[in-house]
Amino acid sequence: MSKVAASSNRPIYEARVAAATGGVACADSDTGSDLEANGHFSHLKDLLALPGLVCLSLETDAVLQHDEHPDALFGIVSDGIVGIQHVLTDGRRSISHLFLPGDIIDFRYFNKVASNAVCLFPCELVLVDADSLSKLGEDEQEVRSMLGHSLMKHWGFATRHCTDLARKSAVEKLASYIFECQNRNPVRLENVNKGSVHLALRRIDISDYLGLRPETLCRAFAKLKQSKLIAFNDIGYVHILNEDVLRNIADGCSVDKHLNEQRAAS
Amino acid sequence: MSKVAASSNRPIYEARVAAATGGVACADSDTGSDLEANGHFSHLKDLLALPGLVCLSLETDAVLQHDEHPDALFGIVSDGIVGIQHVLTDGRRSISHLFLPGDIIDFRYFNKVASNAVCLFPCELVLVDADSLSKLGEDEQEVRSMLGHSLMKHWGFATRHCTDLARKSAVEKLASYIFECQNRNPVRLENVNKGSVHLALRRIDISDYLGLRPETLCRAFAKLKQSKLIAFNDIGYVHILNEDVLRNIADGCSVDKHLNEQRAAS
DNA sequence: CGTGTAATTGAACTATTTCAAATCGAGTGG
DNA sequence: CCACTCGATTTGAAATAGTTCAATTACACG
């Protein structure tokens, strides 16, 4: 369980990285509880304390090569963000799925997807193989059950993301994404400034995730800002000013009506 | 295991319906093998032979009410198509996921999705609960493993569908959908006329699935037809005339270049 | 204080939507 | 068997949201 690379230049996950740098086995203080909170699984600490787990450190844009770790059953994202990226022959890119810290990447059918798992930031992954898993004894069954739940949860994310992509306008997609960040991001810092949501990704990645060009995404941000629904405070964070209206927009309540009202009033 | 309604006016699944009408327990001749082929699971026959399983017959547009069957762990679609449908407050509709005959709908996290499972055709569903499952004895574990695999497969479908929705043009989406039908549809009839693919859904449902308006979908069909890439034979079926080019389009190889070449040549 | 990348803005262009109208097809009743 | 009806599908023309491309600004880093 050696570390290949360390440190991250992002401020957001600093606390987590610091904890993880001490080694995964003793990451049961702070990181552990975050992971647990996200995974709804009480035995994650035991799982991470297993001997012989491989801990991967990957740089931004690194592709997760499953063939290099054929024994790995699943991987837990302990830091960074992994995206499932698909590139059309054309060159057009899209990100279809996100794995945030605490999320589990199930490798069992991974090879069936013609896309790559790409690190959108420097990432830390803990790989779990069947052998290590069997050392858990009677808890192994519970881990496998957790795997199933994790999978179902991610199927839900993917399904919801499809509804975002299918019929929503750029502004609606963005509003929906902001709430997705609010719900999924396990980072505790957001509790400090109430209503402040970390956007997790760079603009370009958000636009790939939402099926928009960066320019369009930028204009969507501008519209929400002009309409006084959100404000930018720190870099990478947005402050939700009117959660009700923003949620209506995310749910597809004739966006423009709301936006035009707001903009006319200002 | 009583049948509420029977018969379907669609020609496609006639064989299956006929087999299933004899009762699920004895559907191990034809239907069983189809289901098996789709589910990659060799014990489905044993599973379907379990006593006490609930067999649901649902009409078109019926919503699958999971609360009415709280004990059900999962359901196997034995006939018809179930779609996960989401309606925006606006009224805009989208279908984010499809369950075809042989597919397994996992109920464990079903309530976490704010969408409805809607029958897009008259459907037959076999519900499996934990009690019945435990009667399988040592095979139970294998069934649970199969559940995991099914889930992973469907996560893959959802992920791929996201890439279709995100950046592809109407024509590309349609081409992609045609191949999805070719791959996923377990109906054997398509083997009879080589190259003939059953489109599974009505135009309106395909358009909901692809995030397009019916008019746009229709124009996409027209373009593929004009370009001599597909032809319509029987109703609901398309014949693929140039699989290579169609696949290039589906993979996003600058559609219009291809289409314009083809149309110029005609 | 330059340098390079990411983010933003503007203006022309294009694909998709929208709305309205026509056509098709299955089922119904005479 | 044919006319009729209702819903699904198709076609057309105008409107619009998003893309494209080019240029500018902002920002982190050495």
Side-chain angles (χ1 to χ4, degrees):
Chain A
M1 186 155 55
S2 63
K3 316 276 291 183
V4 183
S7 89
S8 143
N9 48 2
R10 286 169 307 123
I12 325 105
Y13 294 122
E14 249 170 26
R16 183 187 320 285
V17 171
T21 314
V24 174
C26 43
D28 48 355
S29 57
D30 188 59
T31 311
S33 57
D34 263 1
L35 294 174
E36 179 187 321
N38 201 34
H40 304 295
F41 174 63
S42 55
H43 290 263
L44 205 58
K45 279 188 255 181
D46 301 338
L47 186 60
L48 290 174
L50 279 174
L53 295 185
V54 177
C55 179
L56 282 182
S57 286
L58 297 165
E59 289 306 309
T60 303
D61 290 332
V63 174
L64 188 51
Q65 302 290 1
H66 182 227
D67 14 322
E68 292 179 8
H69 311 277
D71 295 333
L73 209 62
F74 59 92
I76 303 172
V77 180
S78 68
D79 188 42
I81 297 180
V82 177
I84 303 295
Q85 186 181 61
H86 189 85
V87 184
L88 301 185
T89 31
D90 202 30
R92 280 170 284 172
R93 264 190 303 215
S94 64
I95 294 173
S96 52
H97 201 87
L98 297 177
F99 292 99
L100 304 183
D103 283 339
I104 290 169
I105 306 178
D106 199 312
F107 291 131
R108 287 176 295 173
Y109 261 67
F110 199 71
N111 43 358
K112 305 245 170 166
V113 185
S115 316
N116 280 326
V118 176
C119 297
L120 304 179
F121 290 108
C123 289
E124 309 273 329
L125 279 174
V126 182
L127 303 186
V128 180
D129 57 304
D131 279 356
S132 305
L133 198 54
S134 64
K135 290 178 193 146
L136 270 180
E138 58 188 11
D139 284 344
E140 179 180 351
Q141 216 40 61
E142 196 174 344
V143 172
R144 289 189 180 273
S145 148
M146 174 203 64
L147 264 184
H149 279 278
S150 158
L151 215 39
M152 203 67 206
K153 189 179 72 174
H154 280 276
W155 176 80
F157 287 145
T159 300
R160 183 190 305 246
H161 192 215
C162 285
T163 71
D164 282 349
L165 290 170
R167 282 283 162 82
K168 291 187 181 176
S169 71
V171 175
E172 291 165 329
K173 284 177 179 178
L174 175 56
S176 199
Y177 175 74
I178 291 173
F179 285 115
E180 185 179 346
C181 287
Q182 194 181 44
N183 293 330
R184 285 189 63 183
N185 207 319
V187 173
R188 296 291 167 81
L189 286 176
E190 67 194 10
N191 295 335
V192 178
N193 343 3
K194 276 287 181 205
S196 186
V197 178
H198 181 235
L199 291 176
L201 305 179
R202 291 169 304 178
R203 293 282 187 276
I204 183 82
D205 293 325
I206 300 177
S207 71
D208 280 351
Y209 184 58
L210 298 179
L212 301 167
R213 294 351 292 283
E215 297 94 329
T216 311
L217 178 69
C218 179
R219 284 180 246 267
F221 268 116
K223 278 182 194 168
L224 288 181
K225 193 179 165 189
Q226 279 169 31
S227 311
K228 306 235 189 298
L229 296 175
I230 63 169
F232 300 97
N233 9 354
D234 298 322
I235 181 84
Y237 284 84
V238 291
H239 198 84
I240 300 178
L241 298 178
N242 190 335
E243 183 156 342
D244 291 342
V245 172
L246 194 63
R247 198 170 292 277
N248 279 339
I249 290 177
D251 291 344
C253 187
S254 310
V255 201
D256 306 295
K257 205 186 64 189
H258 276 294
L259 286 190
N260 292 337
E261 278 172 13
Q262 294 278 334
R263 271 195 280 189
S266 68
Chain B
M1 187 154 55
S2 62
K3 317 277 288 183
V4 183
S7 90
S8 143
N9 49 0
R10 286 168 307 125
I12 325 105
Y13 295 122
E14 248 169 26
R16 185 189 317 286
V17 171
T21 314
V24 175
C26 42
D28 48 353
S29 58
D30 189 58
T31 311
S33 56
D34 262 2
L35 293 174
E36 180 188 320
N38 200 36
H40 305 294
F41 174 63
S42 55
H43 289 264
L44 205 57
K45 278 187 258 184
D46 301 338
L47 187 60
L48 290 174
L50 280 174
L53 295 185
V54 177
C55 179
L56 281 183
S57 286
L58 297 165
E59 289 306 309
T60 303
D61 291 332
V63 174
L64 189 51
Q65 303 290 1
H66 182 227
D67 14 321
E68 292 180 7
H69 310 277
D71 296 334
L73 209 61
F74 60 91
I76 302 171
V77 180
S78 68
D79 188 42
I81 297 179
V82 177
I84 304 294
Q85 186 181 64
H86 189 85
V87 184
L88 301 184
T89 32
D90 203 28
R92 279 171 284 172
R93 263 189 302 214
S94 65
I95 294 173
S96 52
H97 201 87
L98 296 177
F99 291 99
L100 304 182
D103 284 338
I104 291 169
I105 306 179
D106 199 312
F107 292 131
R108 287 176 295 171
Y109 261 68
F110 199 72
N111 42 0
K112 304 244 171 167
V113 185
S115 315
N116 281 327
V118 176
C119 297
L120 304 178
F121 291 108
C123 290
E124 309 273 329
L125 279 176
V126 182
L127 303 186
V128 180
D129 56 305
D131 279 355
S132 306
L133 198 56
S134 64
K135 289 178 193 145
L136 271 180
E138 57 188 12
D139 284 344
E140 178 181 349
Q141 216 41 60
E142 195 173 344
V143 172
R144 288 188 179 273
S145 148
M146 174 203 65
L147 264 185
H149 280 279
S150 158
L151 216 38
M152 203 67 206
K153 190 178 71 173
H154 280 277
W155 176 81
F157 286 145
T159 300
R160 183 190 306 247
H161 191 216
C162 285
T163 73
D164 282 349
L165 289 171
R167 280 284 162 83
K168 292 188 180 175
S169 72
V171 175
E172 290 165 330
K173 285 177 180 179
L174 176 56
S176 197
Y177 176 74
I178 291 173
F179 285 115
E180 184 179 346
C181 287
Q182 195 180 44
N183 293 331
R184 286 188 62 181
N185 208 320
V187 173
R188 296 291 167 79
L189 286 176
E190 68 193 12
N191 295 336
V192 178
N193 343 5
K194 277 285 180 206
S196 187
V197 178
H198 181 235
L199 291 177
L201 305 179
R202 291 169 303 176
R203 293 282 187 276
I204 183 83
D205 292 325
I206 299 177
S207 70
D208 279 351
Y209 185 59
L210 298 178
L212 302 167
R213 295 349 291 285
E215 296 94 329
T216 311
L217 178 69
C218 178
R219 285 180 246 266
F221 268 115
K223 278 182 194 167
L224 288 180
K225 192 180 168 189
Q226 280 170 32
S227 311
K228 306 233 189 298
L229 297 175
I230 63 170
F232 300 96
N233 9 353
D234 298 320
I235 180 86
Y237 285 84
V238 292
H239 198 84
I240 300 178
L241 299 178
N242 190 334
E243 182 155 343
D244 292 341
V245 173
L246 194 64
R247 199 170 292 277
N248 279 339
I249 290 177
D251 290 343
C253 188
S254 311
V255 201
D256 306 294
K257 207 186 61 189
H258 276 293
L259 287 189
N260 293 337
E261 279 172 13
Q262 293 278 335
R263 271 194 280 186
S266 69

